[in-house]
Amino acid sequence: MPQEVFQQAAQAVLNYNNTGLSILEIGHRTSTFQAVMDEARALVKELMQLDDKHEVLFLHGGASTQFMQVPMNLLDDKETAAYADTGVWGIKAIKEAKLYGKVEVVCSGKESNYTAIPKDFAVPNDAAYFHITTNNTIYGSQWQKIPNTSTPLVGDMSSDVFSRVIDFNAFDLIYAGAQKNMGPAGVNLLVVKKDLLGKIKRPIPTIMDYRNHINEGSMLNTPPVFAVFVCMLTLRWLKSIGGVAAVEKLNDAKAALLYKTIDESPLFRGTVVNEDRSKMNVCFVMNDPSLEVSFLAFTKERNIVGIKGHRLVGGFRASLYNALPINSVEVLVQAMKDFAQLQP
Ligand SMILES: Cc1ncc(COP(=O)(O)O)c(C=O)c1O
C-alpha cells in the first residue's frame, strides 16, 4: 500500500480529523463514519466507471467468504453454475459452489499445470452464472481478455482489482479481498448488479443476503470500520494519481521490466505462457534449480523480501501490486543481473 496511506491511517488511529477520537473508536452510526463509507463506495463507482445498475458493498470476511456467499445468493439447488478452473482459488470457489447447486467446470488449466489460461471452451446459455478468477495469484496467470458471454459473469478480482482498465460493467458480480490493492485484510469489496438478485428460492441467512446489505447502505451490522477507512484512503490515492488508467501504465512498466529481464537472462525463465502472464504476480524459476537457495540468500542481503514462490509452483514470485514503486523492481532486476555475473 502507498506510504502516504500508511501515514494517514496511522494519524487517524491517534486522532481522527482532529476530533480527539481514534478512527478505531468512532461509532459506525455516526455521521463521521457515514461520510467515510459513502466516500469509499462512491470512489469505487467512479474509479470503475460503474453504471447505476451496479451496487457497491464492503462486506466482512475474506474473498474465501465469497466463494460461499456468491452461490448462496445466485445458485438454486437444481441450477448449474459454470466455473473456470485456473488454479487454487478457482478450485476452492468450485468446491463451495457445489454445496448449493450443480457446477460445470467449463475449462481447466490443470493439464498445463496452470501455466496458461484455457482458450477454447463454451459456457452453457442456461448457466446461472460463469465464474472466473481474473488473476491467478499463485500461478501468475491472468485473463488478458475478459470472456464475452451471455451468461452473467462473476469475477474474483482479489489480486488485480483496480490494476488495469477493463469494462467492469461487463461483470454482473465482482468480489475482491481488500488486502492486495486496497487495504487491510478483513473486508471484501463486492460489486453486484441488482437485477441479478432475488431469483433463488432457498432462504438466505440475513447477514449473507446481498439484498439486505444493499438496503442498509452497506451498514447492515457493524462494518469493518478501520479496513473500510483504509480502503477509502487508498482509493483517494488512486484517484489522485490519475485513476486506474494511470496505475495501469505504471503496472505495465513494472511488469515489462521484470519479464524482459527474465527473458533475457540465461539463468531464469518465466513459468506462464507469454500471452497469459500476470502483471501483478510474476512467477519465475531458475534453469538450474540448485541455484535457487543461493539466489534467495543473495536477494535477502539486498533487503528484497517476499519473493519466494508459492510451494505449489516453487521458484520465485514477485508481486507488483499497485503501490509497489518501479524502483523496487529495478532493485530486483539489478540483483538478478549481478547474480548472473557471479556465475562461472
Ligand atoms: C485470487 C484470490 N482469491 C481468493 C483469495 C482468498 O482470499 P482470503 O484469504 O481473503 O479469503 C486469494 C488470496 O490470496 C486470492 O489471491
Side-chain angles (χ1 to χ4, degrees):
M1 284 161 51
Q3 279 302 316
E4 65 185 73
V5 169
F6 287 137
Q7 277 155 8
Q8 290 161 2
Q11 179 54 43
V13 168
L14 298 171
N15 182 359
Y16 179 62
N17 272 358
N18 290 325
T19 54
L21 290 172
S22 166
I23 186 74
L24 299 177
E25 61 189 351
I26 58 167
H28 70 283
R29 299 278 173 211
T30 57
S31 56
T32 313
F33 183 70
Q34 186 66 55
V36 171
M37 181 58 99
D38 291 347
E39 186 177 341
R41 295 174 80 200
L43 280 166
V44 173
K45 277 213 132 178
E46 185 182 342
L47 289 162
M48 287 187 168
Q49 298 181 8
L50 293 173
D51 61 29
D52 287 338
K53 292 181 191 150
H54 287 81
E55 290 282 343
V56 175
L57 300 173
F58 284 95
L59 301 178
H60 286 275
S64 307
T65 319
Q66 294 309 315
F67 295 162
M68 161 268 289
Q69 203 168 348
V70 166
M72 196 184 246
N73 278 269
L74 304 186
L75 183 60
D76 241 335
D77 304 6
K78 295 198 170 60
E79 282 180 332
T80 301
Y83 275 72
D85 162 19
T86 52
V88 168
W89 300 114
I91 294 170
K92 287 186 195 264
I94 290 166
K95 179 174 173 238
E96 300 305 295
K98 284 181 178 166
L99 299 172
Y100 297 95
K102 289 183 223 137
V103 170
E104 186 173 330
V105 179
V106 293
C107 58
S108 171
K110 193 172 175 193
E111 267 186 21
S112 73
N113 200 21
Y114 301 110
T115 54
I117 296 288
K119 305 286 176 327
D120 295 321
F121 59 89
V123 179
N125 283 334
D126 60 349
Y129 59 88
F130 175 41
H131 178 286
I132 64 169
T133 314
T134 53
N135 182 68
N136 297 283
T137 328
I138 291 175
Y139 297 93
S141 68
Q142 188 174 33
W143 292 78
Q144 299 305 342
K145 199 170 160 285
I146 301 303
N148 187 0
T149 125
S150 56
T151 314
L153 187 60
V154 173
D156 173 0
M157 290 194 194
S158 294
S159 52
D160 67 347
V161 70
F162 295 117
S163 70
R164 55 178 172 158
V165 177
I166 50 173
D167 180 7
F168 293 100
N169 288 308
F171 287 83
D172 296 73
L173 189 149
I174 295 167
Y175 63 91
Q179 63 268 26
K180 268 92 181 179
N181 275 338
M182 281 184 289
V187 67
N188 274 316
L189 169 66
L190 191 102
V191 173
V192 62
K193 221 172 176 177
K194 267 177 293 188
D195 60 13
L196 197 63
L197 304 175
K199 294 188 180 161
I200 63 154
K201 295 182 202 78
R202 175 192 319 112
I204 306 173
T206 310
I207 196 74
M208 289 291 140
D209 193 329
Y210 295 138
R211 289 171 301 176
N212 297 332
H213 289 277
I214 293 171
N215 292 341
E216 296 300 323
S218 201
M219 276 256 236
L220 180 59
N221 68 329
T222 314
V225 168
F226 184 65
V228 174
F229 171 68
V230 180
C231 288
M232 182 207 74
L233 293 177
T234 310
L235 295 170
R236 265 189 196 165
W237 164 82
L238 183 55
K239 185 177 168 183
S240 76
I241 65 163
V244 179
V247 89
E248 180 179 35
K249 271 198 190 140
L250 302 174
N251 289 335
D252 283 353
K254 290 183 284 182
L257 173 61
L258 186 48
Y259 282 122
K260 180 170 179 281
T261 309
I262 292 168
D263 291 341
E264 288 175 359
S265 168
L267 295 187
F268 300 95
R269 76 189 139 79
T271 51
V272 170
V273 299
N274 286 15
E275 72 269 20
D276 299 329
R277 285 171 159 184
S278 166
K279 292 180 180 158
M280 291 278 99
N281 309 100
V282 176
C283 292
F284 55 102
V285 292
M286 296 189 83
N287 292 323
D288 175 358
S290 70
L291 288 175
E292 289 187 355
V293 174
S294 40
F295 178 65
L296 204 59
F298 186 78
T299 56
K300 205 172 164 201
E301 274 171 25
R302 297 186 176 200
N303 290 329
I304 299 169
V305 292
I307 59 157
K308 196 169 180 341
H310 190 277
R311 69 195 141 75
L312 290 171
V313 182
F316 306 95
R317 174 177 54 169
S319 291
L320 314 180
Y321 296 123
N322 279 357
L324 187 95
I326 192 153
N327 49 343
S328 296
V329 182
E330 285 161 359
V331 170
L332 174 60
V333 159
Q334 195 56 50
M336 292 164 79
K337 289 181 179 162
D338 292 347
F339 187 78
Q341 287 286 315
L342 294 175
Q343 303 314 304

